[in-house]
Amino acid sequence: MKQLLFAFIFGFIFFNETHAQIEYKVITSVESIVPNGLGRSRLISSVEEKNYKDFTSEQTEDDNTRNKSNRGDIRVKDFEETKLLNFYNIGGIRFQNIAANDAVISSKINTMVEEGWELAFVTSAVESDSGKDDGQGIFITRYIFKRNKL
């Protein structure tokens, strides 16, 4: 009887797939740093899923054929777009707008945590005004969440 119980436990441990599968989700905030409040700021979250393999080609020394994926197939049409405020208005930098964006982004993060997501990584970058004639600029942040697959 002990041998049968041992065999059952051994089989369960070594032959049962016990690896947790994890899924990731990326949320992106784009905050305008264009002077005079002319830019657009948003919090973007894709609802639609895509498989990167559908748009990937492998290039080798013998075959360096260009990737001919159709841009229209790559585009996502189902996504959440949450309006954020621009960092600048006509009077210059607007700290109330930054605080308002923080409140909205915190709300999104808290909602995701309530849904079982864990904030795993945050990364940001900026493309700023490079002089008198530029007039362009964004501050982008990617929030990468993870959770066990349901």
Side-chain angles (χ1 to χ4, degrees):
M1 184 66 166
K2 286 183 184 179
Q3 291 173 336
L4 183 60
L5 182 60
F6 177 75
F8 176 75
I9 293 172
F10 178 80
F12 181 79
I13 292 172
F14 289 100
F15 297 109
N16 186 19
E17 193 156 332
T18 59
H19 300 288
Q21 293 192 3
I22 296 176
E23 63 181 328
Y24 291 88
K25 183 166 183 71
V26 178
I27 307 299
T28 302
S29 64
V30 179
E31 297 171 279
S32 172
I33 53 175
V34 174
N36 300 323
L38 297 174
R40 293 177 24 197
S41 298
R42 300 288 188 271
L43 184 62
I44 304 296
S45 174
S46 175
V47 176
E48 188 176 330
E49 291 188 18
K50 294 284 184 176
N51 185 339
Y52 82 96
K53 292 179 184 179
D54 295 338
F55 315 108
T56 302
S57 64
E58 185 174 322
Q59 303 220 359
T60 65
E61 188 174 331
D62 297 330
D63 181 10
N64 60 356
T65 306
R66 190 173 73 87
N67 185 325
K68 297 188 181 182
S69 296
N70 184 333
R71 290 176 188 266
D73 293 337
I74 299 171
R75 284 193 177 90
V76 170
K77 295 180 178 57
D78 296 327
F79 63 95
E80 291 180 348
E81 178 182 305
T82 304
K83 188 167 187 172
L84 297 174
L85 300 175
N86 298 332
F87 282 176
Y88 287 94
N89 68 7
I90 197 76
I93 193 164
R94 183 83 173 163
F95 295 108
Q96 289 174 325
N97 289 4
I98 295 169
N101 289 355
D102 289 351
V104 172
I105 292 168
S106 293
S107 172
K108 177 66 173 180
I109 291 171
N110 288 332
T111 299
M112 301 263 319
V113 169
E114 288 171 6
E115 294 172 352
W117 294 97
E118 174 188 345
L119 183 59
F121 306 100
V122 177
T123 183
S124 61
V126 65
E127 190 287 312
S128 62
D129 189 333
S130 64
K132 179 182 172 191
D133 296 326
D134 186 351
Q136 302 292 316
I138 62 169
F139 185 80
I140 186 168
T141 304
R142 290 228 158 96
Y143 305 88
I144 302 169
F145 292 85
K146 69 178 184 176
R147 73 175 175 188
N148 291 334
K149 280 191 173 182
L150 302 175

